Amino acid sequence: MFNRLPNIIRKPIIFYFDNEPIEALEGDTIASALLSAGVVEFRKSALSHNKRGPYCLMGTCFECLLEVDGVTQQQTCLIEVKNNMRVCREETKRLITNDG
Amino acid sequence: MTVDVDVVVIGAGPAGMSCSRVLAQHNVNVVVLDEQNAPGGQIYKNIEGVTEKRPADLDFLGKSYAEGIEIANRFRAEDIDYRPGSSVWQISSSVVGKRRELIYSAGGKSHKLMAKYIVLATGAIERPIPVPGWTLPGVMTAGALQSLLKTSAVYPTGKLVIAGSGPLTLQLISQLMDANIEIAAFVDTTPAGSLFRAVFHLPRALLAPEYLKRGWHLVRKLKKSGIKMYSVASNLEIFGDQKATGLSFTSRGSRYGIEADVIALHEGVIPNTQTGRLLNIEHQWDNSQNAFRPVLDGSGETSVAGVFAAGDNAGILGAKSAVLSGEIAGYAIVEKLGFIKESARDLIIEEAKLRRFIENGVRPMLEALYPAPDWIASADNETIICRCEEVLAGDLRKIVADGCAGPNQAKAFLRCGMGTCQGRMCASTVTEIIAKELKRPANMVGSYNIRPPIKPISLGELASLNEG
Ligand SMILES: Cc1cc2nc3c(=O)[nH]c(=O)nc-3n(C[C@H](O)[C@H](O)[C@H](O)COP(=O)(O)OP(=O)(O)OC[C@H]3O[C@@H](n4cnc5c(N)ncnc54)[C@H](O)[C@@H]3O)c2cc1C
Ligand code: FES
């Protein structure tokens, strides 16, 4: 569903998504690297467990949340992918909030 | 550890960059925080990376994008403590020793700053568009596709359908065309009669003729492109099971169904009021933009003393005006800190305001050409309005009929606005629906109260903050 424009200048790097190696280019965000590698569903909705994927790519929708190097609920559209990074899907948890 | 600073600017878009540049030029101690990895904001996202590493891509990203490098260079030229990858998640409403506490998260750790002045330059978000199926993977915003092109030179393959209205859709189409990326269809939701209404605003728009020229050029380019177009489209419905596979809509009296692999929605942008709401600053509903914006004085100070708002989060005026609003707020703070005289400040600010008035000449015309959608309050009962907690429009109408008086009660009853996005994707819709159901002005209905943390923070990170 997504592809790359011809680009030779950026350096290729490898990161891991759910333990599978994925090639990306330096400067990609985690989300853009995954999209161009054919991953479009990142998580499941909290209630009905329907599939979700990045919607805004600018930090507002929180549909791109993944676990990154052991830290949960990271907005992968805002984080630059790095060599050997370990990214994985997580069980969607409801946010514990202090109001109600 | 807590660090004292004079000013914290939140956002390194055109507004935040220009504001902090003015401050630094007057030797003010300023910290700029932005959750992105590089300066530029939304319009000039990754401008440094593209200019340096992929300059050929500036051809299709266009002149109005390429211009951003100059703003970024001027920002970099000053000695500014700029901290990319920093998400602000708390700003205290109380002041201790003339300073206000602000907390941000960077690299999995939280940090505290104590600031005399805070400038909210957090920009705009794309208006949430509650149509059936908008939560399916493969459905994105026009801005998201632009963002992929800017950050990574990644483009959609397969059948791409752009559905929506506004200058950003035209700009995206133009960029995709120039990059030779195929667009299966443009479903234009601009209502009929817009051009006629817009003509009345032509005289003022002529103050800034280059916008008119650019807009005219985009429209002509689209007409000649051969892209399949459907005009005056309404009642969008996206279908698909695991992911989007197509959409149906009404266009000039007929119903159509078309296949799609990627669907880009867009209905204009609205102020990102999240940090302002956190501080409980006063907002007012803007009837022409159908959105809340903060109430400001002439220099951009909000109802909370010492807190300023500049750029599109203060009302949608575009990048050029954002630069000017950033400068105005910057000079106002420089004067408050005693680095320039009141009379000097007034001269500079008046001149900047005049330039902003000229820049904004095209706004009334744009708003008439591409009016805010009028159907959101009528979203179908079965449509999800809160993506995180999967609350339907019908759920909200039902509790309103049962006596729910406003967004905060709705939040308590339905949990809408309590998910990870903390209401960013449903606040505007919830206000519009309640206003319509109660036949009450949106201004009276109000919006969610926002509580910290405004970004998900792990318990471990919270604990590390207390350790110092
Ligand atoms: C997706 C999108 C695409 C756009 N594309 C164009 C375009 O191509 N052409 C055009 O003319 N206009 C475009 N606009 C309109 C745009 O709002 C203005 O042109 C311009 O970017 C406004 O500048 P600004 O400085 O006010 O805000 P922005 O440029 O939006 O900058 C705000 C910055 O604040 C940061 N921020 C927000 N909240 C926080 C927080 N809590 N913590 C830390 N940082 C934070 C963001 O990361 C962002 O970098 C776009 C708007 C959007 C939403
Ligand atoms: S895709 Fe919307 S927050 Fe990342």
Side-chain angles (χ1 to χ4, degrees):
Chain A
M1 274 179 29
F2 292 90
N3 210 339
R4 286 177 189 283
L5 290 167
N7 187 318
I8 19 166
I9 314 166
R10 288 188 292 153
K11 219 170 82 196
I13 54 174
I14 299 281
F15 74 108
Y16 296 86
F17 179 60
D18 284 348
N19 293 322
E20 294 291 322
I22 289 189
E23 192 175 293
L25 292 181
E26 205 174 59
D28 282 349
T29 62
I30 300 171
S32 67
L34 286 173
L35 287 171
S36 64
V39 179
V40 286
E41 30 153 313
F42 281 45
R43 58 191 286 264
K44 294 207 166 78
S45 64
L47 262 73
S48 67
H49 303 285
N50 284 323
K51 290 178 176 166
R52 293 285 174 85
Y55 174 75
C56 74
L57 292 178
M58 61 164 283
T60 35
C61 74
F62 294 71
E63 297 287 15
C64 64
L65 296 183
L66 293 171
E67 187 177 309
V68 179
D69 285 338
V71 186
T72 58
Q73 301 209 67
Q74 296 298 296
Q75 284 178 289
T76 55
C77 69
L78 295 175
I79 304 175
E80 197 178 315
V81 71
K82 290 271 153 46
N83 222 0
N84 290 322
M85 216 172 209
R86 300 223 155 233
V87 179
C88 57
R89 292 196 179 100
E90 50 189 324
E91 272 293 302
T92 306
K93 297 174 208 85
R94 273 183 141 182
L95 186 73
I96 300 159
T97 51
N98 56 358
D99 52 344
Chain B
M1 204 176 65
T2 308
V3 178
D4 285 356
V5 293
D6 287 336
V7 188
V8 173
V9 175
I10 310 171
M17 286 192 284
S18 67
C19 180
S20 52
R21 170 176 48 79
V22 165
L23 292 166
Q25 281 166 347
H26 292 83
N27 299 318
V28 174
N29 168 5
V30 53
V31 173
V32 181
L33 303 172
D34 194 303
E35 59 192 7
Q36 295 195 58
N37 305 317
Q42 299 311 331
I43 175 166
Y44 307 130
K45 182 170 287 193
N46 194 28
I47 184 68
E48 294 177 334
V50 174
T51 311
E52 191 191 325
K53 301 222 170 80
R54 310 152 33 201
D57 291 356
L58 290 173
D59 289 347
F60 73 82
L61 288 170
K63 193 167 147 262
S64 59
Y65 175 71
E67 278 166 7
I69 192 65
E70 205 185 306
I71 302 175
N73 284 344
R74 289 176 73 194
F75 168 71
R76 292 285 198 184
E78 301 301 326
D79 183 19
I80 295 172
D81 184 350
Y82 161 57
R83 305 182 188 178
S86 304
S87 283
V88 174
W89 60 263
Q90 155 71 327
I91 311 172
S92 165
S93 40
S94 57
V95 173
V96 182
K98 296 198 178 157
R99 287 174 203 270
R100 198 181 287 282
E101 182 187 78
L102 179 149
I103 312 178
Y104 68 94
S105 168
K109 287 213 173 64
S110 279
H111 310 265
K112 276 186 198 168
L113 293 171
M114 296 294 290
K116 284 188 194 149
Y117 295 95
I118 291 174
V119 181
L120 313 174
T122 55
I125 62 171
E126 288 177 276
R127 184 191 301 280
I129 308 163
V131 294
W134 70 309
T135 51
L136 288 166
V139 182
M140 293 189 174
T141 64
L145 292 192
Q146 260 194 338
S147 167
L148 278 178
L149 287 171
K150 291 174 187 172
T151 54
S152 313
V154 167
Y155 68 95
T157 56
K159 293 196 184 72
L160 163 65
V161 176
I162 297 168
S165 171
L168 213 80
T169 52
L170 295 183
Q171 200 190 32
L172 172 67
I173 292 171
S174 160
Q175 290 168 328
L176 292 168
M177 279 170 61
D178 289 347
N180 293 316
I181 296 160
E182 210 170 309
I183 302 169
F186 174 36
V187 178
D188 185 355
T189 58
T190 310
S194 289
L195 197 58
F196 178 72
R197 284 188 298 272
V199 167
F200 294 104
H201 301 286
L202 188 61
R204 193 177 156 204
L206 285 170
L207 283 174
E210 73 277 18
Y211 289 106
L212 288 180
K213 236 173 79 191
R214 202 179 291 166
W216 178 243
H217 175 74
L218 283 180
V219 171
R220 280 218 351 231
K221 187 167 164 183
L222 177 63
K223 289 229 161 96
K224 286 200 291 194
S225 67
I227 296 170
K228 183 94 186 125
M229 295 222 294
Y230 301 88
S231 59
V232 199
S234 63
N235 298 84
L236 248 63
E237 218 177 308
I238 296 161
F239 40 83
D241 179 23
Q242 307 285 317
K243 59 178 274 316
T245 52
L247 74 165
S248 59
F249 52 89
T250 305
S251 164
R252 298 196 180 270
S254 306
R255 192 81 192 156
Y256 296 87
I258 57 176
E259 289 177 4
D261 297 303
V262 176
I263 299 169
L265 301 175
H266 184 80
E267 292 290 346
V269 298
I270 60 174
N272 172 5
T273 53
Q274 211 73 3
T275 45
R277 291 272 177 206
L278 188 59
L279 277 163
N280 231 337
I281 64 175
E282 194 184 338
H283 286 78
Q284 82 189 22
W285 184 260
D286 183 322
N287 278 320
S288 61
Q289 298 185 343
N290 267 10
F292 277 107
R293 61 178 160 78
V295 178
L296 305 176
D297 78 358
S299 63
E301 191 161 4
T302 67
S303 63
V304 173
V307 177
F308 288 71
D312 270 6
N313 61 306
I316 305 303
L317 295 174
K320 293 247 164 78
S321 294
V323 168
L324 293 165
S325 304
E327 287 177 3
I328 292 171
Y331 281 107
I333 294 172
V334 168
E335 188 274 330
K336 279 179 191 284
L337 287 166
F339 292 108
I340 57 171
K341 290 215 173 72
E342 221 173 287
S343 52
R345 173 201 66 187
D346 290 349
L347 268 178
I348 298 168
I349 289 186
E350 284 316 311
E351 203 238 306
K353 278 191 189 159
L354 183 66
R355 278 164 50 210
R356 192 173 58 182
F357 178 80
I358 293 170
E359 282 299 334
N360 293 345
V362 75
R363 285 287 140 187
M365 189 166 171
L366 276 182
E367 282 168 17
L369 265 178
Y370 305 110
D374 61 0
W375 53 264
I376 288 190
S378 322
D380 188 71
N381 273 339
E382 293 304 309
T383 304
I384 288 179
I385 53 169
C386 162
R387 299 172 64 107
C388 301
E389 296 289 327
E390 303 181 295
V391 176
L392 310 181
D395 299 337
L396 179 60
R397 292 199 180 98
K398 191 157 163 291
I399 64 156
V400 172
D402 290 344
C404 162
N408 290 301
Q409 269 190 15
K411 193 181 193 176
F413 285 129
L414 299 172
R415 286 188 61 92
C416 50
M418 276 173 83
T420 22
C421 93
Q422 295 211 308
R424 289 167 175 86
M425 299 305 292
C426 66
S428 55
T429 310
V430 166
T431 297
E432 284 205 51
I433 291 181
I434 297 180
K436 178 158 190 229
E437 296 301 308
L438 295 177
K439 298 188 179 61
R440 203 174 279 171
N443 223 10
M444 276 177 68
V445 169
S447 190
Y448 297 136
N449 298 328
I450 300 297
R451 302 233 161 78
I454 65 169
K455 292 274 172 174
I457 299 293
S458 70
L459 289 176
E461 183 166 343
L462 276 180
S464 73
L465 180 69
N466 292 334
E467 285 159 17

